[in-house]
Amino acid sequence: MDIKTATAIRRLRLVSAPEAVSFLILLLCSVLKRTTDFNAVPVMGAVHGVLFILYVIFWADAWNRAKWPAGTAALYFVLSVLPTGGFFAERKLRREAEDAVIAARARQEGVVKA
């Protein structure tokens, strides 16, 4: 994995958890709006919207650079629209990055021919 691919995946990983948190807070604000006089939906909607747009941009970049199969790319996109999916995406992306580092070190040490 080259540095640009690793950077693209890292950006996606770093935005996935905040996007998931903002989605959960937006859902909470929606409930509070309907049950109390508290209305933070416009603010949280904007915050979540920006984070979601960043997630989609970073997802497209990572898909393009990492050459993921369509199924893997679809999984990461579906995780972005589920309320807690960003947490699972972050964990899976972290594991993928760690595996790539291990493979690169193994190639460097001559353990694996690739």
Side-chain angles (χ1 to χ4, degrees):
M1 180 181 304
D2 66 341
I3 192 73
K4 289 185 179 184
T5 303
T7 302
I9 291 173
R10 186 172 195 279
R11 277 194 310 250
L12 179 61
R13 184 176 68 84
L14 290 176
V15 79
S16 63
E19 190 270 337
V21 169
S22 72
F23 194 2
L24 292 174
I25 294 173
L26 179 60
L27 291 175
L28 177 66
C29 288
S30 295
V31 170
L32 290 174
K33 175 183 174 183
R34 285 159 180 73
T35 57
T36 66
D37 292 334
F38 184 75
N39 184 12
V41 172
V43 173
M44 278 313 301
V47 169
H48 175 67
V50 167
L51 288 171
F52 181 74
I53 289 169
L54 284 174
Y55 184 96
V56 171
I57 290 169
F58 294 159
W59 165 81
D61 185 39
W63 181 16
N64 182 40
R65 292 185 188 278
K67 306 293 188 237
W68 288 328
T72 301
L75 171 68
Y76 286 125
F77 186 78
V78 167
L79 287 174
S80 75
V81 296
L82 298 175
T84 58
F87 299 121
F88 294 106
E90 192 276 333
R91 186 179 309 156
K92 189 166 173 48
L93 288 164
R94 183 171 18 111
R95 227 177 286 135
E96 184 178 325
E98 289 169 354
D99 291 346
V101 168
I102 291 168
R105 286 183 182 155
R107 278 193 300 275
Q108 187 179 31
E109 293 172 3
V111 176
V112 177
K113 304 286 186 203

